[in-house]
Amino acid sequence: RQQAQRITFRSESVELVGFCQKLIDGQFAYQADGRRVQFTSDRAELVVPADPTLLNYALKNLISNGLKYSAASKQNVELH
């Protein structure tokens, strides 16, 4: 909670499709248990106002939780 008080939101234009793909390719594509995180988008590009640092934290948390809480199913995790 103390850390949340020190976070400064810095909005900039973020190309979301590429941002998500880069994050997954760099950190989540292949898991030790053989599962994969797969990203699909019906858009080639989507520019949104966001703080890339906070967006990175949020997406990592969501993907990590998806992997953690679906481990027993042995299914791939999909992000759309």
Side-chain angles (χ1 to χ4, degrees):
R1 292 178 188 251
Q2 289 177 344
Q3 183 180 14
Q5 294 171 352
R6 294 183 303 210
I7 294 175
T8 302
F9 180 79
R10 292 187 173 92
S11 183
E12 61 183 74
S13 293
V14 175
E15 198 288 294
L16 193 57
V17 176
F19 187 92
C20 290
Q21 191 64 59
K22 182 178 176 181
L23 174 67
I24 291 168
D25 289 348
Q27 297 186 20
F28 293 103
Y30 296 96
Q31 300 302 302
D33 62 6
R35 292 183 301 152
R36 296 187 65 195
V37 176
Q38 298 171 320
F39 173 71
T40 59
S41 174
D42 59 351
R43 299 185 66 164
E45 185 176 283
L46 176 63
V47 178
V48 297
D51 181 319
T53 301
L54 297 178
L55 182 60
N56 189 51
Y57 290 148
L59 288 174
K60 280 183 183 179
N61 184 269
L62 289 170
I63 295 167
S64 294
N65 285 342
L67 290 164
K68 179 179 178 180
Y69 294 110
S70 68
S73 72
K74 300 292 183 194
Q75 292 184 342
N76 292 333
V77 173
E78 297 180 10
L79 178 66
H80 300 274

